[in-house]
Amino acid sequence: MSVSTWAISPPEKEKLISAAFEAKKFAYSKYSKFRVGAALLSTNGEVIKGANIENASYGGTICAERTALVKAISEGIASFTALAVVTDVASALSPCGLCRQFIREFCAQTMPIYLVPADYYEKVQKGDINGGILETSIGELLPHSFGPEELDLPRPGGES
Ligand code: THU
């Protein structure tokens, strides 16, 4: 699935990547020591940051992507043009399954998702113009997904 039809300017993309790095600084990753930062760009140009927030009861952990989405939605921001995610690993890491389903709820199938390596700026400095970013979309990360539209499909013989 392509992400090419989305209009995000190079400065906006840079702003979003930088916000994901900023977000990572506030990760509460006391147990895993694995920091994640996420940043969403809304259709009206706002950037909403999120970090992973862990809990002594491990299952209570909230991933960075979901933190950003919950922050945005709960503030009335519900339309997005891009998402960036960064960890401390020097390669592009992909959102977990639960986050994929969460992203699926609120983001269009082809919206760009930038998976940013921790050494993005060093890579750019060394002449890798893309900085090792993996650009993908929720349509690619979660194919054949179940989303809000599926609940509106006709259900012949089912309950109405
Ligand atoms: N984590 C995220 O924040 N996003 C993901 O998509 C994968 C995992 C966090 C959860 C936990 O705090 C740590 O990374 C290790 O799993």
Side-chain angles (χ1 to χ4, degrees):
M1 190 166 296
S2 132
V3 291
S4 58
T5 52
W6 286 73
I8 170 164
S9 68
E12 274 181 321
K13 184 176 167 185
E14 280 309 317
K15 184 170 78 167
L16 195 63
I17 291 166
S18 157
F21 275 99
E22 282 294 312
K24 190 178 66 165
K25 292 180 185 165
F26 296 108
Y28 180 76
S29 53
K30 184 173 174 164
Y31 306 103
S32 71
K33 315 284 186 215
F34 193 90
R35 300 187 305 163
V36 186
L40 279 165
L41 183 65
S42 78
T43 45
N44 44 19
E46 291 158 289
V47 172
I48 306 94
K49 296 185 278 186
N52 53 327
I53 309 295
E54 299 188 345
N55 194 277
S57 176
Y58 299 165
T61 293
I62 307 172
C63 292
E65 299 89 325
R66 281 180 290 135
T67 301
L69 278 164
V70 167
K71 280 178 65 183
I73 305 294
S74 62
E75 295 287 344
I77 303 166
S79 181
F80 308 105
T81 48
L83 168 68
V85 184
V86 67
T87 71
D88 288 318
V89 176
S91 57
L93 294 197
S94 201
C96 77
L98 187 49
C99 285
R100 290 178 199 211
Q101 184 64 35
F102 213 87
I103 294 165
R104 169 67 179 87
E105 184 75 22
F106 300 109
C107 301
Q109 295 271 15
T110 56
M111 185 198 82
I113 299 177
Y114 304 112
L115 304 177
V116 184
D119 59 349
Y120 167 74
Y121 292 109
E122 291 87 329
K123 283 184 163 114
V124 170
Q125 192 89 47
K126 283 182 190 152
D128 175 353
I129 196 158
N130 183 44
I133 287 180
L134 174 61
E135 181 174 341
T136 184
S137 64
I138 200 61
E140 280 182 354
L141 293 173
L142 193 66
H144 308 291
S145 62
F146 186 88
E149 303 81 14
E150 276 62 45
L151 288 173
D152 293 331
L153 293 173
R155 282 165 272 164
E159 288 184 30
S160 55

Short mmCIF file of all heavy atoms in Angstrom, two decimals, residues 37-107:
data_model
loop_
_atom_site.label_atom_id
_atom_site.label_comp_id
_atom_site.label_asym_id
_atom_site.label_seq_id
_atom_site.Cartn_x
_atom_site.Cartn_y
_atom_site.Cartn_z
N GLY A 37 9.51 7.12 21.64
CA GLY A 37 8.87 8.42 21.47
C GLY A 37 8.03 8.39 20.21
O GLY A 37 8.40 7.77 19.21
N ALA A 38 6.88 9.04 20.28
CA ALA A 38 6.00 9.11 19.10
C ALA A 38 5.53 10.54 18.93
O ALA A 38 5.43 11.30 19.91
CB ALA A 38 4.81 8.18 19.28
N ALA A 39 5.27 10.93 17.71
CA ALA A 39 4.69 12.26 17.46
C ALA A 39 3.71 12.15 16.31
O ALA A 39 3.99 11.53 15.28
CB ALA A 39 5.79 13.26 17.14
N LEU A 40 2.56 12.76 16.55
CA LEU A 40 1.48 12.79 15.54
C LEU A 40 1.40 14.20 14.97
O LEU A 40 1.53 15.17 15.72
CB LEU A 40 0.14 12.52 16.21
CG LEU A 40 -0.28 11.10 16.51
CD1 LEU A 40 -1.45 11.12 17.50
CD2 LEU A 40 -0.68 10.37 15.22
N LEU A 41 1.15 14.29 13.68
CA LEU A 41 0.88 15.59 13.06
C LEU A 41 -0.61 15.63 12.73
O LEU A 41 -1.11 14.72 12.05
CB LEU A 41 1.72 15.75 11.79
CG LEU A 41 1.60 17.08 11.05
CD1 LEU A 41 2.14 18.24 11.90
CD2 LEU A 41 2.34 17.01 9.71
N SER A 42 -1.30 16.64 13.25
CA SER A 42 -2.73 16.75 12.97
C SER A 42 -2.93 17.48 11.65
O SER A 42 -2.02 18.15 11.14
CB SER A 42 -3.46 17.49 14.10
OG SER A 42 -3.24 18.87 13.97
N THR A 43 -4.14 17.37 11.10
CA THR A 43 -4.41 18.02 9.81
C THR A 43 -4.31 19.53 9.91
O THR A 43 -4.07 20.20 8.91
CB THR A 43 -5.79 17.61 9.25
OG1 THR A 43 -6.74 17.69 10.29
CG2 THR A 43 -5.79 16.21 8.68
N ASN A 44 -4.48 20.09 11.11
CA ASN A 44 -4.27 21.55 11.20
C ASN A 44 -2.89 21.93 11.73
O ASN A 44 -2.69 23.03 12.25
CB ASN A 44 -5.41 22.26 11.96
CG ASN A 44 -5.82 21.54 13.20
OD1 ASN A 44 -5.06 20.71 13.71
ND2 ASN A 44 -7.00 21.84 13.70
N GLY A 45 -1.94 21.02 11.59
CA GLY A 45 -0.53 21.36 11.80
C GLY A 45 -0.03 21.24 13.23
O GLY A 45 1.13 21.56 13.49
N GLU A 46 -0.89 20.77 14.13
CA GLU A 46 -0.43 20.59 15.51
C GLU A 46 0.39 19.31 15.64
O GLU A 46 0.11 18.33 14.96
CB GLU A 46 -1.61 20.49 16.47
CG GLU A 46 -2.39 21.78 16.65
CD GLU A 46 -3.80 21.51 17.14
OE1 GLU A 46 -4.61 20.99 16.34
OE2 GLU A 46 -4.09 21.83 18.29
N VAL A 47 1.35 19.33 16.55
CA VAL A 47 2.14 18.13 16.82
C VAL A 47 1.80 17.65 18.23
O VAL A 47 1.84 18.44 19.19
CB VAL A 47 3.65 18.41 16.69
CG1 VAL A 47 4.46 17.22 17.15
CG2 VAL A 47 3.99 18.75 15.24
N ILE A 48 1.44 16.39 18.35
CA ILE A 48 1.09 15.80 19.65
C ILE A 48 2.10 14.70 19.95
O ILE A 48 2.26 13.77 19.17
CB ILE A 48 -0.35 15.22 19.64
CG1 ILE A 48 -1.35 16.27 19.18
CG2 ILE A 48 -0.72 14.69 21.02
CD1 ILE A 48 -1.69 16.28 17.73
N LYS A 49 2.78 14.86 21.10
CA LYS A 49 3.85 13.92 21.44
C LYS A 49 3.36 12.86 22.44
O LYS A 49 2.44 13.12 23.21
CB LYS A 49 5.02 14.69 22.07
CG LYS A 49 5.68 15.66 21.11
CD LYS A 49 6.89 16.30 21.71
CE LYS A 49 6.51 17.45 22.60
NZ LYS A 49 7.68 18.20 23.10
N GLY A 50 4.03 11.72 22.42
CA GLY A 50 3.73 10.68 23.40
C GLY A 50 4.95 9.82 23.66
O GLY A 50 5.78 9.62 22.77
N ALA A 51 5.07 9.34 24.89
CA ALA A 51 6.15 8.42 25.25
C ALA A 51 5.54 7.19 25.91
O ALA A 51 4.38 7.22 26.34
CB ALA A 51 7.11 9.11 26.21
N ASN A 52 6.32 6.12 26.00
CA ASN A 52 5.81 4.93 26.70
C ASN A 52 5.84 5.17 28.20
O ASN A 52 6.80 5.73 28.75
CB ASN A 52 6.57 3.66 26.30
CG ASN A 52 8.07 3.75 26.45
OD1 ASN A 52 8.66 4.79 26.26
ND2 ASN A 52 8.68 2.63 26.78
N ILE A 53 4.76 4.76 28.84
CA ILE A 53 4.59 4.96 30.28
C ILE A 53 4.36 3.59 30.91
O ILE A 53 3.30 2.99 30.69
CB ILE A 53 3.38 5.90 30.58
CG1 ILE A 53 3.46 7.21 29.75
CG2 ILE A 53 3.28 6.18 32.08
CD1 ILE A 53 4.63 8.11 30.07
N GLU A 54 5.36 3.12 31.63
CA GLU A 54 5.28 1.77 32.19
C GLU A 54 4.64 1.79 33.58
O GLU A 54 4.38 2.86 34.15
CB GLU A 54 6.67 1.14 32.19
CG GLU A 54 7.21 1.05 30.77
CD GLU A 54 8.50 0.27 30.64
OE1 GLU A 54 9.18 0.01 31.65
OE2 GLU A 54 8.84 -0.09 29.49
N ASN A 55 4.38 0.60 34.09
CA ASN A 55 3.72 0.47 35.38
C ASN A 55 4.29 -0.73 36.12
O ASN A 55 4.64 -1.74 35.48
CB ASN A 55 2.21 0.28 35.14
CG ASN A 55 1.42 0.47 36.41
OD1 ASN A 55 1.29 -0.45 37.21
ND2 ASN A 55 0.89 1.65 36.60
N ALA A 56 4.36 -0.64 37.44
CA ALA A 56 4.84 -1.75 38.26
C ALA A 56 4.01 -3.00 38.01
O ALA A 56 4.52 -4.12 38.11
CB ALA A 56 4.80 -1.36 39.73
N SER A 57 2.74 -2.81 37.68
CA SER A 57 1.91 -3.91 37.19
C SER A 57 2.07 -3.87 35.67
O SER A 57 1.42 -3.08 34.99
CB SER A 57 0.46 -3.70 37.61
OG SER A 57 -0.35 -4.71 37.06
N TYR A 58 3.00 -4.67 35.16
CA TYR A 58 3.52 -4.47 33.80
C TYR A 58 2.44 -4.31 32.72
O TYR A 58 2.62 -3.55 31.77
CB TYR A 58 4.44 -5.64 33.40
CG TYR A 58 5.68 -5.80 34.27
CD1 TYR A 58 6.42 -6.97 34.22
CD2 TYR A 58 6.09 -4.80 35.15
CE1 TYR A 58 7.55 -7.14 35.02
CE2 TYR A 58 7.21 -4.96 35.96
CZ TYR A 58 7.94 -6.13 35.89
OH TYR A 58 9.05 -6.30 36.69
N GLY A 59 1.34 -5.04 32.89
CA GLY A 59 0.27 -4.97 31.89
C GLY A 59 -0.36 -3.60 31.78
O GLY A 59 -1.07 -3.32 30.81
N GLY A 60 -0.11 -2.76 32.75
CA GLY A 60 -0.67 -1.40 32.72
C GLY A 60 0.12 -0.45 31.84
O GLY A 60 -0.24 0.72 31.69
N THR A 61 1.18 -0.95 31.25
CA THR A 61 2.04 -0.11 30.39
C THR A 61 1.28 0.43 29.19
O THR A 61 0.48 -0.28 28.57
CB THR A 61 3.24 -0.95 29.92
OG1 THR A 61 4.06 -1.23 31.05
CG2 THR A 61 4.06 -0.23 28.86
N ILE A 62 1.54 1.68 28.89
CA ILE A 62 0.95 2.30 27.69
C ILE A 62 2.09 2.66 26.74
O ILE A 62 3.04 3.34 27.12
CB ILE A 62 0.14 3.57 28.04
CG1 ILE A 62 -0.89 3.26 29.13
CG2 ILE A 62 -0.56 4.12 26.79
CD1 ILE A 62 -1.60 4.49 29.66
N CYS A 63 1.99 2.20 25.52
CA CYS A 63 3.03 2.47 24.52
C CYS A 63 2.99 3.94 24.09
O CYS A 63 1.98 4.63 24.25
CB CYS A 63 2.82 1.61 23.28
SG CYS A 63 3.08 -0.14 23.54
N ALA A 64 4.10 4.38 23.50
CA ALA A 64 4.24 5.77 23.07
C ALA A 64 3.18 6.17 22.05
O ALA A 64 2.60 7.26 22.12
CB ALA A 64 5.63 5.97 22.48
N GLU A 65 2.91 5.27 21.10
CA GLU A 65 1.96 5.58 20.04
C GLU A 65 0.56 5.81 20.62
O GLU A 65 -0.16 6.73 20.24
CB GLU A 65 1.89 4.43 19.02
CG GLU A 65 3.19 4.12 18.31
CD GLU A 65 4.07 3.10 19.04
OE1 GLU A 65 4.10 3.10 20.28
OE2 GLU A 65 4.73 2.32 18.34
N ARG A 66 0.20 4.94 21.58
CA ARG A 66 -1.13 5.07 22.18
C ARG A 66 -1.20 6.29 23.10
O ARG A 66 -2.23 6.95 23.18
CB ARG A 66 -1.53 3.78 22.91
CG ARG A 66 -2.01 2.71 21.91
CD ARG A 66 -2.40 1.43 22.58
NE ARG A 66 -1.25 0.73 23.10
CZ ARG A 66 -1.18 0.17 24.31
NH1 ARG A 66 -2.21 0.24 25.13
NH2 ARG A 66 -0.09 -0.45 24.70
N THR A 67 -0.10 6.61 23.76
CA THR A 67 -0.08 7.83 24.58
C THR A 67 -0.39 9.04 23.70
O THR A 67 -1.23 9.88 24.04
CB THR A 67 1.29 8.01 25.27
OG1 THR A 67 1.56 6.88 26.08
CG2 THR A 67 1.32 9.26 26.12
N ALA A 68 0.29 9.12 22.57
CA ALA A 68 0.09 10.27 21.67
C ALA A 68 -1.35 10.31 21.16
O ALA A 68 -1.99 11.38 21.15
CB ALA A 68 1.07 10.19 20.50
N LEU A 69 -1.87 9.17 20.76
CA LEU A 69 -3.23 9.14 20.22
C LEU A 69 -4.26 9.50 21.30
O LEU A 69 -5.18 10.28 21.04
CB LEU A 69 -3.54 7.76 19.62
CG LEU A 69 -3.02 7.55 18.20
CD1 LEU A 69 -3.00 6.07 17.84
CD2 LEU A 69 -3.85 8.33 17.18
N VAL A 70 -4.09 8.95 22.49
CA VAL A 70 -5.05 9.24 23.57
C VAL A 70 -4.98 10.72 23.96
O VAL A 70 -6.02 11.36 24.18
CB VAL A 70 -4.79 8.30 24.77
CG1 VAL A 70 -5.53 8.77 26.01
CG2 VAL A 70 -5.21 6.87 24.42
N LYS A 71 -3.78 11.26 24.01
CA LYS A 71 -3.65 12.70 24.29
C LYS A 71 -4.42 13.51 23.27
O LYS A 71 -5.19 14.41 23.60
CB LYS A 71 -2.17 13.12 24.27
CG LYS A 71 -1.41 12.80 25.54
CD LYS A 71 0.05 13.20 25.41
CE LYS A 71 0.26 14.72 25.28
NZ LYS A 71 1.69 15.05 25.07
N ALA A 72 -4.20 13.19 22.00
CA ALA A 72 -4.82 13.97 20.91
C ALA A 72 -6.35 13.83 20.94
O ALA A 72 -7.06 14.85 20.99
CB ALA A 72 -4.27 13.51 19.57
N ILE A 73 -6.82 12.61 20.91
CA ILE A 73 -8.27 12.38 20.83
C ILE A 73 -8.99 13.01 22.02
O ILE A 73 -10.04 13.63 21.86
CB ILE A 73 -8.59 10.85 20.78
CG1 ILE A 73 -7.85 10.13 19.66
CG2 ILE A 73 -10.10 10.60 20.71
CD1 ILE A 73 -8.22 10.50 18.26
N SER A 74 -8.38 12.88 23.20
CA SER A 74 -9.04 13.41 24.40
C SER A 74 -9.00 14.93 24.46
O SER A 74 -9.65 15.54 25.30
CB SER A 74 -8.43 12.79 25.66
OG SER A 74 -7.06 13.13 25.75
N GLU A 75 -8.22 15.54 23.56
CA GLU A 75 -8.20 17.00 23.47
C GLU A 75 -8.97 17.48 22.24
O GLU A 75 -8.85 18.64 21.83
CB GLU A 75 -6.74 17.52 23.39
CG GLU A 75 -5.90 17.27 24.64
CD GLU A 75 -6.26 18.16 25.83
OE1 GLU A 75 -6.94 19.18 25.63
OE2 GLU A 75 -5.86 17.82 26.95
N GLY A 76 -9.68 16.57 21.61
CA GLY A 76 -10.52 16.96 20.46
C GLY A 76 -9.78 17.00 19.14
O GLY A 76 -10.29 17.51 18.14
N ILE A 77 -8.55 16.47 19.11
CA ILE A 77 -7.78 16.43 17.86
C ILE A 77 -7.89 15.01 17.33
O ILE A 77 -7.39 14.07 17.95
CB ILE A 77 -6.30 16.81 18.10
CG1 ILE A 77 -6.21 18.19 18.75
CG2 ILE A 77 -5.50 16.76 16.79
CD1 ILE A 77 -4.84 18.50 19.34
N ALA A 78 -8.56 14.86 16.18
CA ALA A 78 -8.90 13.50 15.75
C ALA A 78 -8.58 13.23 14.28
O ALA A 78 -8.95 12.19 13.74
CB ALA A 78 -10.37 13.24 16.02
N SER A 79 -7.89 14.15 13.64
CA SER A 79 -7.59 13.98 12.22
C SER A 79 -6.08 14.19 12.01
O SER A 79 -5.54 15.24 12.37
CB SER A 79 -8.41 15.00 11.43
OG SER A 79 -8.16 14.85 10.07
N PHE A 80 -5.44 13.18 11.45
CA PHE A 80 -3.97 13.18 11.42
C PHE A 80 -3.42 13.01 10.01
O PHE A 80 -4.03 12.36 9.16
CB PHE A 80 -3.45 12.06 12.32
CG PHE A 80 -4.04 12.12 13.70
CD1 PHE A 80 -5.03 11.22 14.10
CD2 PHE A 80 -3.65 13.11 14.60
CE1 PHE A 80 -5.60 11.30 15.37
CE2 PHE A 80 -4.22 13.19 15.87
CZ PHE A 80 -5.20 12.28 16.25
N THR A 81 -2.21 13.56 9.79
CA THR A 81 -1.57 13.42 8.49
C THR A 81 -0.28 12.60 8.53
O THR A 81 0.20 12.18 7.47
CB THR A 81 -1.26 14.79 7.85
OG1 THR A 81 -0.61 15.59 8.81
CG2 THR A 81 -2.50 15.49 7.39
N ALA A 82 0.28 12.40 9.71
CA ALA A 82 1.50 11.59 9.79
C ALA A 82 1.80 11.22 11.24
O ALA A 82 1.33 11.87 12.17
CB ALA A 82 2.69 12.34 9.19
N LEU A 83 2.60 10.17 11.37
CA LEU A 83 3.06 9.70 12.69
C LEU A 83 4.54 9.36 12.57
O LEU A 83 4.95 8.77 11.57
CB LEU A 83 2.26 8.44 13.08
CG LEU A 83 2.75 7.61 14.28
CD1 LEU A 83 2.59 8.39 15.59
CD2 LEU A 83 1.98 6.29 14.37
N ALA A 84 5.32 9.74 13.57
CA ALA A 84 6.73 9.33 13.62
C ALA A 84 6.97 8.60 14.94
O ALA A 84 6.41 8.96 15.97
CB ALA A 84 7.64 10.56 13.53
N VAL A 85 7.78 7.55 14.87
CA VAL A 85 8.10 6.74 16.06
C VAL A 85 9.61 6.52 16.09
O VAL A 85 10.21 6.17 15.07
CB VAL A 85 7.37 5.37 16.03
CG1 VAL A 85 7.65 4.59 17.32
CG2 VAL A 85 5.87 5.54 15.83
N VAL A 86 10.20 6.70 17.29
CA VAL A 86 11.63 6.47 17.43
C VAL A 86 11.92 5.74 18.74
O VAL A 86 11.20 5.93 19.73
CB VAL A 86 12.42 7.81 17.33
CG1 VAL A 86 12.14 8.74 18.50
CG2 VAL A 86 13.92 7.56 17.21
N THR A 87 12.94 4.90 18.73
CA THR A 87 13.38 4.19 19.94
C THR A 87 14.88 4.52 20.12
O THR A 87 15.39 5.43 19.47
CB THR A 87 13.20 2.66 19.79
OG1 THR A 87 14.16 2.18 18.85
CG2 THR A 87 11.79 2.29 19.33
N ASP A 88 15.56 3.75 20.97
CA ASP A 88 17.01 3.94 21.11
C ASP A 88 17.79 2.97 20.23
O ASP A 88 19.02 2.89 20.35
CB ASP A 88 17.42 3.77 22.58
CG ASP A 88 16.95 4.94 23.43
OD1 ASP A 88 17.06 6.10 22.97
OD2 ASP A 88 16.46 4.70 24.55
N VAL A 89 17.10 2.24 19.40
CA VAL A 89 17.74 1.25 18.54
C VAL A 89 18.10 1.91 17.20
O VAL A 89 17.31 2.69 16.65
CB VAL A 89 16.80 0.04 18.31
CG1 VAL A 89 17.40 -0.96 17.33
CG2 VAL A 89 16.48 -0.64 19.63
N ALA A 90 19.27 1.57 16.69
CA ALA A 90 19.78 2.21 15.47
C ALA A 90 19.21 1.59 14.19
O ALA A 90 19.92 1.45 13.20
CB ALA A 90 21.29 2.17 15.47
N SER A 91 17.95 1.20 14.26
CA SER A 91 17.25 0.79 13.04
C SER A 91 15.77 1.10 13.25
O SER A 91 15.34 1.37 14.38
CB SER A 91 17.46 -0.70 12.75
OG SER A 91 17.04 -1.47 13.84
N ALA A 92 15.02 1.07 12.16
CA ALA A 92 13.61 1.43 12.23
C ALA A 92 12.83 0.29 12.89
O ALA A 92 12.81 -0.82 12.37
CB ALA A 92 13.09 1.66 10.81
N LEU A 93 12.20 0.58 14.04
CA LEU A 93 11.41 -0.45 14.72
C LEU A 93 9.92 -0.15 14.52
O LEU A 93 9.50 0.99 14.41
CB LEU A 93 11.74 -0.51 16.21
CG LEU A 93 13.13 -0.97 16.60
CD1 LEU A 93 13.15 -1.39 18.07
CD2 LEU A 93 13.65 -2.12 15.75
N SER A 94 9.16 -1.21 14.55
CA SER A 94 7.77 -1.16 14.15
C SER A 94 6.83 -1.21 15.35
O SER A 94 7.14 -1.87 16.34
CB SER A 94 7.59 -2.40 13.27
OG SER A 94 6.51 -2.27 12.46
N PRO A 95 5.69 -0.53 15.29
CA PRO A 95 4.74 -0.54 16.42
C PRO A 95 4.24 -1.95 16.76
O PRO A 95 4.10 -2.80 15.86
CB PRO A 95 3.58 0.31 15.93
CG PRO A 95 4.11 1.12 14.80
CD PRO A 95 5.22 0.32 14.20
N CYS A 96 3.94 -2.16 18.04
CA CYS A 96 3.42 -3.46 18.48
C CYS A 96 2.02 -3.69 17.92
O CYS A 96 1.37 -2.77 17.41
CB CYS A 96 3.43 -3.54 20.00
SG CYS A 96 2.08 -2.64 20.78
N GLY A 97 1.54 -4.91 18.06
CA GLY A 97 0.24 -5.28 17.50
C GLY A 97 -0.90 -4.46 18.07
O GLY A 97 -1.80 -4.02 17.33
N LEU A 98 -0.86 -4.23 19.36
CA LEU A 98 -1.94 -3.47 19.99
C LEU A 98 -1.95 -2.03 19.46
O LEU A 98 -3.02 -1.47 19.16
CB LEU A 98 -1.75 -3.50 21.52
CG LEU A 98 -2.83 -2.91 22.40
CD1 LEU A 98 -4.21 -3.42 22.02
CD2 LEU A 98 -2.52 -3.24 23.86
N CYS A 99 -0.76 -1.44 19.33
CA CYS A 99 -0.69 -0.08 18.78
C CYS A 99 -1.15 -0.03 17.34
O CYS A 99 -1.78 0.94 16.91
CB CYS A 99 0.73 0.48 18.91
SG CYS A 99 1.09 0.94 20.62
N ARG A 100 -0.85 -1.07 16.58
CA ARG A 100 -1.31 -1.10 15.18
C ARG A 100 -2.83 -1.02 15.12
O ARG A 100 -3.41 -0.27 14.34
CB ARG A 100 -0.82 -2.37 14.48
CG ARG A 100 0.67 -2.34 14.25
CD ARG A 100 1.17 -3.62 13.61
NE ARG A 100 2.61 -3.70 13.83
CZ ARG A 100 3.46 -4.26 13.02
NH1 ARG A 100 3.06 -4.83 11.91
NH2 ARG A 100 4.74 -4.29 13.29
N GLN A 101 -3.48 -1.81 15.97
CA GLN A 101 -4.94 -1.78 15.99
C GLN A 101 -5.44 -0.41 16.44
O GLN A 101 -6.43 0.11 15.92
CB GLN A 101 -5.48 -2.88 16.90
CG GLN A 101 -6.99 -2.99 16.92
CD GLN A 101 -7.59 -3.38 15.57
OE1 GLN A 101 -7.01 -4.15 14.82
NE2 GLN A 101 -8.75 -2.83 15.26
N PHE A 102 -4.75 0.18 17.38
CA PHE A 102 -5.14 1.50 17.90
C PHE A 102 -4.98 2.57 16.81
O PHE A 102 -5.85 3.41 16.60
CB PHE A 102 -4.28 1.83 19.12
CG PHE A 102 -5.00 2.64 20.15
CD1 PHE A 102 -5.75 2.03 21.14
CD2 PHE A 102 -4.92 4.03 20.14
CE1 PHE A 102 -6.40 2.79 22.09
CE2 PHE A 102 -5.57 4.79 21.09
CZ PHE A 102 -6.31 4.18 22.08
N ILE A 103 -3.86 2.50 16.09
CA ILE A 103 -3.61 3.44 14.99
C ILE A 103 -4.69 3.25 13.92
O ILE A 103 -5.20 4.22 13.36
CB ILE A 103 -2.19 3.22 14.40
CG1 ILE A 103 -1.12 3.59 15.42
CG2 ILE A 103 -2.01 4.02 13.11
CD1 ILE A 103 0.29 3.08 15.08
N ARG A 104 -5.04 2.01 13.66
CA ARG A 104 -6.05 1.67 12.65
C ARG A 104 -7.38 2.38 12.92
O ARG A 104 -8.12 2.74 12.01
CB ARG A 104 -6.23 0.15 12.61
CG ARG A 104 -7.40 -0.37 11.82
CD ARG A 104 -7.25 -0.13 10.33
NE ARG A 104 -8.36 -0.67 9.59
CZ ARG A 104 -9.51 -0.02 9.35
NH1 ARG A 104 -9.68 1.19 9.80
NH2 ARG A 104 -10.47 -0.59 8.65
N GLU A 105 -7.69 2.55 14.19
CA GLU A 105 -8.96 3.19 14.58
C GLU A 105 -9.01 4.65 14.14
O GLU A 105 -10.06 5.15 13.77
CB GLU A 105 -9.13 3.08 16.10
CG GLU A 105 -10.45 3.61 16.64
CD GLU A 105 -11.61 2.66 16.38
OE1 GLU A 105 -11.38 1.45 16.16
OE2 GLU A 105 -12.75 3.15 16.39
N PHE A 106 -7.86 5.34 14.20
CA PHE A 106 -7.87 6.80 14.08
C PHE A 106 -7.13 7.36 12.86
O PHE A 106 -7.23 8.55 12.59
CB PHE A 106 -7.27 7.42 15.35
CG PHE A 106 -8.03 7.07 16.59
CD1 PHE A 106 -7.49 6.21 17.55
CD2 PHE A 106 -9.30 7.59 16.82
CE1 PHE A 106 -8.19 5.89 18.70
CE2 PHE A 106 -10.02 7.26 17.96
CZ PHE A 106 -9.46 6.40 18.91
N CYS A 107 -6.36 6.52 12.18
CA CYS A 107 -5.55 7.03 11.06
C CYS A 107 -5.94 6.34 9.77
O CYS A 107 -6.28 5.15 9.77
CB CYS A 107 -4.07 6.81 11.33
SG CYS A 107 -3.51 7.62 12.86
#
